[in-house]
Structure formats: structure tokens, C-alpha cells
Amino acid sequence: MTATVVRERGEVGGERLPGVWGLGLGRGALEIRQFFRQRDQVVFTFAFPVVFLFLFASIFKDDVEGAGITASQLYVPAMMAAGIMSTSFQALGISIAVERQDKVLRRLRGTPMPPTAYFLGKIWLVLFTGLLETVILLAIGTAFYDVALPSDAGHWFDLAWIFVLGITACALLGIAISSVPKSANSASSVVVLPFLVLQFISGVYIAIGTIPDWMLTVGALFPLKWMCQGLRGVFLPESAQVLEQAGSWELGRVALVLAAWCVGGLALCLLTFRWKDRREG
């Protein structure tokens, strides 16, 4: 049997080689193990939104007039959305930039592993860490801030698709922005600054009603604002809709915007991603 036929059949020694999905799953398991070996990164990743939730929910805990909720309850879904974006956009934007400078990407590109498997591994990583972050924040919200779990299958379904679309869009944007920093040293500044700004203009730290309209318009161009709004629709009572800019949860629009960002993020990745550092050409 010739080498060409072996490659076409994906077989070596009579055994079928693992496909892209299998390689991606294996790569994902490796990424997760490497992540949890870095204890300082683990603590910072999961503690950051938890600490901010505790601070804001403790400082602002009065009833929100006309909404039937407390300010503390308002912060829980917002911090969940920020946590999802932190474990995807921020984590990938920085880590991939570091791997590129350390020539990890260049070495991986020179192996037989399909490039798709590398990205699938990253997606598995952010799905795992994002889900764990969401569970932690949800547990804290229900235990300390009187946030109620969804009471029907419809709300659980809404939570599922908001999570999947949101983390996918943010992960793709993180992969795309990883090509912007000129070095690993500047990656944190390049990635963290826009993420921090988005948190202020997307309703994470500041209530929608107190943010200037032009800032809300800018925030509405990105996924975080819609993730916050969608998660509020899952965990808050219908009376809280009055706090939204449109006076409703607009879950249909949330789905459309997040899906559009999934497509747009994929296009950005295809156009901008680099395996080598800029200095290497």
C-alpha cells in the first residue's frame, strides 16, 4: 500500500488514525490539564468576577425602584456574562499571543496535527472553564443574593443557547485579537483595555438607565451587552424588563446578534490569524 493510499484512508498499520474531532478532543484535554497546572492563573481567572460580584453586590444592594428586584440581583447575570467573556475573549487573546511569541504555534504548525484540532482544543478549554465559572457565579447568586434558578425548561433552554452562542462569539474574537499585540508583553494591555471598557458600557458595572445613549449604542455593537441582557431575561422576573433600553428582554435580537458575531468572529479569525510572530515575516 502506497503512502498516498495510507493518507487517503487515514490508516497506519491497519489501524485508523484519529480524525480532526478526536484530535481536537485530545488537544482540549491537554489544554485543560495545562490550565489547571498554573495555579495563579486558575485563581485569577475564577476569582476575578467573583470578587467584583461580591464588591458591587455588597455596595449596591438597595431595591431597584419599579423593577421588583434588588441591585444585588441585577449584578449576578451581568457578572456571569463578564465571566464568560473573561474565560474566552480575554484568556484566548492573551494566551495565544504568548504561545505565538514562544514559537509554540510555529512548532504545532509543523506537526501533522490539523490546524483545526488546535482551535478545537481551545474551544473545549473555554467551554469547560466558562461553564465552571458560570456555575460558580450562579451558586453564589442563588446562595447569597436571592437569584432564583430558572423554573421551566424554556428558561433553561435560553440559558443554554445564550451561553453557547456567547462563549463561541467571544472565543472567536479572542482568537482574532490575539494577532493584534506586537509582543506577548503588550498582549494584556491590548486585550484587557477593550474588555474593561465594554464592561462599563454594556451594563455590567453600571445600570443601563444611567449610561449615556451613545455609549449604549457603541456597547450594542459587541456581544457582551447582549449576553448581559439575555441572562437578565433568564434569571430576573418580568417586572425587571423596565430597566432595559427597549423595555423588554429582546431575546430574539440577542440570538441574532450573538449568531452574527459567531459568523463575523470566524471571518476575522480566517483573515487575521497568524502562526508566526510579525518579526518572523
Side-chain angles (χ1 to χ4, degrees):
M1 183 179 292
T2 65
T4 302
V5 175
V6 168
R7 285 195 297 269
E8 287 178 353
R9 294 186 180 180
E11 297 177 354
V12 173
E15 296 183 3
R16 189 168 186 83
L17 295 174
V20 173
W21 282 104
L23 290 171
L25 184 60
R27 181 70 195 178
L30 176 62
E31 293 276 359
I32 292 170
R33 287 198 300 270
Q34 289 178 335
F35 172 79
F36 280 99
R37 285 172 183 166
Q38 304 176 53
R39 295 184 180 179
D40 53 343
Q41 182 182 4
V42 173
V43 171
F44 178 82
T45 298
F46 293 117
F48 187 84
V50 172
V51 170
F52 271 76
L53 173 59
F54 173 77
L55 289 174
F56 279 93
S58 299
I59 296 170
F60 306 101
K61 54 186 177 181
D62 296 333
D63 293 339
V64 179
E65 185 177 355
I69 59 171
T70 63
S72 299
Q73 292 173 310
L74 191 61
Y75 278 112
V76 173
M79 289 301 175
M80 289 174 61
I84 291 171
M85 192 166 187
S86 174
T87 56
S88 52
F89 172 79
Q90 179 174 297
L92 291 187
I94 296 173
S95 65
I96 293 177
V98 172
E99 289 178 354
R100 181 180 292 111
Q101 180 169 299
D102 292 343
K103 296 182 173 56
V104 174
L105 296 186
R106 185 176 180 179
R107 291 195 294 271
L108 288 174
R109 191 69 179 94
T111 68
M113 182 183 74
T116 305
Y118 170 77
F119 296 110
L120 286 174
K122 291 296 186 184
I123 295 297
W124 282 118
L125 171 64
V126 299
L127 282 173
F128 183 85
T129 55
L131 182 59
L132 185 56
E133 181 80 88
T134 301
V135 170
I136 291 171
L137 290 168
L138 184 55
I140 293 173
T142 54
F144 298 103
Y145 302 116
D146 297 323
V147 171
L149 291 174
S151 57
D152 58 79
H155 281 84
W156 281 111
F157 177 72
D158 291 337
L159 173 60
W161 66 255
I162 291 169
F163 175 83
V164 171
L165 288 179
I167 203 165
T168 302
C170 292
L172 291 170
L173 287 176
I175 294 171
I177 202 172
S178 71
S179 298
V180 175
K182 294 183 178 180
S183 68
N185 293 331
S186 64
S188 294
S189 301
V190 171
V191 176
V192 172
L193 179 59
F195 177 42
L196 184 61
V197 171
L198 282 177
Q199 290 178 85
F200 276 96
I201 65 176
S202 301
V204 176
Y205 299 140
I206 302 174
I208 291 291
T210 60
I211 302 175
D213 288 342
W214 69 270
M215 286 188 180
L216 287 176
T217 301
V218 174
L221 298 175
F222 299 93
L224 184 57
K225 185 263 186 188
W226 300 100
M227 290 163 59
C228 291
Q229 184 170 314
L231 291 174
R232 285 195 291 267
V234 171
F235 293 105
L236 299 183
E238 296 298 316
S239 58
Q241 292 187 86
V242 297
L243 301 176
E244 301 298 332
Q245 191 176 19
S248 67
W249 303 129
E250 299 181 291
L251 292 181
R253 180 171 292 184
V254 171
L256 288 174
V257 173
L258 293 181
W261 267 113
C262 289
V263 176
L266 179 60
L268 284 174
C269 290
L270 295 174
L271 290 172
T272 64
F273 188 79
R274 294 178 292 105
W275 291 95
K276 297 188 294 184
D277 191 270
R278 291 181 182 180
R279 290 168 292 186
E280 300 178 67

